[in-house]
Amino acid sequence: MINYFTAMLERNLFMMTAHLSQTDARLGLLCQWIEQTLGSVTRVSAISGDASFRRYFRFVLNSGQRVIGVDAPPEYEDVQAFVKVQQLLKSLDVRVPDLYAGDVMQGFLALEDLGDATLFSVLSEDNVHHWYELALRMAATMASARPDQALPPYDVTLLDREMQLFIDWLLERHLELRLSCREKNWLYDHFERLKQIIAVQTVGLVHRDFHARNLMVVDHKTLATIDFQDAVIGPVTYDLVSLIKDCYVQWPQTLRDRWCDAFREQLKAKGVTVPSQEEFLYWTDTMGIQRHLKAAGIFARLWHRDGKPGYLKDIPRTLSYIEQAGARHDAWRTLGEWVQDVVQPRLAEVQEQS
């Protein structure tokens, strides 16, 4: 999830490279690779990274063209996955950044610069319906796809690993809650039930991080998506949840329900098998619980492992979606009440102390 709102650090390329060769060898190599691959560079701008080991930089070429340079260290990131999914999404007419060049061995990419306007940055109560209509269309196009290229499945192993983040990093590391064997088994019982409901859902292409910070407004009229390299084949409700139950912005439940039904109708129109309106809503809320357990754990891990505290403030909002799902569905009531009565108060205490 790229944040394009970072102050420009424009410098002469020669001076920049000379300095970086001493302080940041990989960025120096990226500068050289961009020049060798695309031509002379006149300015370089640092762009803050996302919740990964990737880093992003804006290069202005001598021709005036702007290019986003991606530094993805091969020991941590797989640029081949990005290239594969980028080509797949383009084949579906999903707007994504063009790929100008790539070096798999070094972990470098040169991408189209889509500008500075994330959907998150322009959203308001007045325009959210327009932009979410476009985003839902994009999500439905992906969810209805049956790609020829093999993508990893969103399988039980991945679901388990993601939900375990909630226990390991949020509950035990960040909140310092020492769960008994009985409490852990109670949570694992809920995890099993989540997986059972998720397993019966129709599957399609899942972006896996489809939210307002990963959608770019292009030319004030269209949307493009970024940060799609982790795409899988999985439940059709996953990207819907990522969008309408965004961890970074929250909309009224009545709106979310309306968007949920609109998405269901779009899937039906594309020939995707979907259940009744009520059941599809249950699918969506259930998928949301799994995603928000994972996200809350990741936000805590970003602080304790990676030294990135910026996501801690989003944890209460993320957990609130679990509370809301519990209030609506008997199957998740006790989980929602536990989050409300145990996790949220302890989270507030920890945040007050920090």
Side-chain angles (χ1 to χ4, degrees), residues 36 79 90 105 129 206 212 241 295 333 341:
Q36 294 166 0
V79 298
K90 281 183 71 72
M105 295 299 294
H129 295 288
V206 176
V241 163
R333 177 168 296 145
D341 298 338

Side-chain angles (χ1 to χ4, degrees), residues 100-259:
Y100 299 140
D103 187 319
V104 174
M105 295 299 294
Q106 294 194 86
F108 295 152
L109 296 172
L111 305 176
E112 175 187 8
D113 187 346
L114 296 176
D116 294 331
T118 64
L119 178 57
F120 180 82
S121 72
V122 304
L123 278 177
S124 69
E125 292 182 0
D126 294 331
N127 65 25
V128 65
H129 295 288
H130 167 72
W131 290 119
Y132 270 42
E133 180 180 352
L134 297 182
L136 288 169
R137 288 179 194 167
M138 185 184 293
T141 296
M142 293 187 292
S144 62
R146 298 295 182 269
D148 295 330
Q149 301 181 53
L151 290 176
Y154 212 150
D155 58 16
V156 170
T157 300
L158 183 54
L159 290 168
D160 280 335
R161 186 164 68 241
E162 290 181 342
M163 290 187 288
Q164 188 65 36
L165 296 171
F166 175 74
I167 294 177
D168 293 346
W169 289 96
L170 181 68
L171 300 184
E172 297 186 342
R173 182 65 181 274
H174 187 60
L175 302 184
E176 298 182 343
L177 292 174
R178 299 293 174 250
L179 301 179
S180 66
C181 289
R182 182 177 180 179
E183 289 171 321
K184 281 189 176 181
N185 288 335
W186 177 81
L187 272 177
Y188 288 139
D189 285 344
H190 281 83
F191 293 178
E192 288 300 317
R193 287 159 54 195
L194 287 168
K195 289 185 294 183
Q196 290 170 8
I197 301 303
I198 291 168
V200 303
Q201 295 193 23
T202 309
V203 298
L205 192 156
V206 176
H207 179 295
R208 210 160 155 232
D209 212 13
F210 190 76
H211 55 76
R213 289 185 178 179
N214 279 340
L215 290 164
M216 304 299 297
V217 177
V218 182
D219 298 328
H220 306 287
K221 60 183 180 181
T222 60
L223 289 178
T225 186
I226 58 176
D227 203 18
F228 42 73
Q229 61 284 329
D230 294 324
V232 294
I233 299 298
V236 293
T237 59
Y238 193 91
D239 287 342
L240 171 66
V241 163
S242 302
L243 179 69
I244 68 174
K245 296 189 178 188
D246 196 321
C247 297
Y248 311 109
V249 60
Q250 191 167 47
W251 303 101
Q253 187 163 282
T254 52
L255 277 184
R256 301 199 306 262
D257 289 349
R258 189 183 310 168
W259 291 329

Side-chain angles (χ1 to χ4, degrees), residues 245 253 257 281 285 323-330 333:
K245 296 189 178 188
Q253 187 163 282
D257 289 349
L281 183 62
D285 285 343
E323 298 174 50
Q324 292 164 22
R328 183 144 70 169
H329 304 288
D330 288 342
R333 177 168 296 145

Side-chain angles (χ1 to χ4, degrees), residues 1 51 165 169-171 173-176 213 247-248 292 294-320 343-344 346-354:
M1 81 202 109
L165 296 171
W169 289 96
L170 181 68
L171 300 184
R173 182 65 181 274
H174 187 60
L175 302 184
E176 298 182 343
R213 289 185 178 179
C247 297
Y248 311 109
H292 294 120
K294 174 190 77 168
I298 288 176
F299 292 161
R301 186 179 68 180
L302 282 167
W303 165 230
H304 291 283
R305 189 192 70 180
D306 304 331
K308 299 178 179 181
Y311 298 95
L312 294 178
K313 66 182 183 299
D314 300 307
I315 296 177
R317 180 188 308 107
T318 300
L319 293 177
S320 73
V343 182
Q344 290 278 35
R346 176 58 184 156
L347 181 62
E349 289 178 8
V350 171
Q351 291 185 336
E352 285 180 8
Q353 295 167 4
S354 61

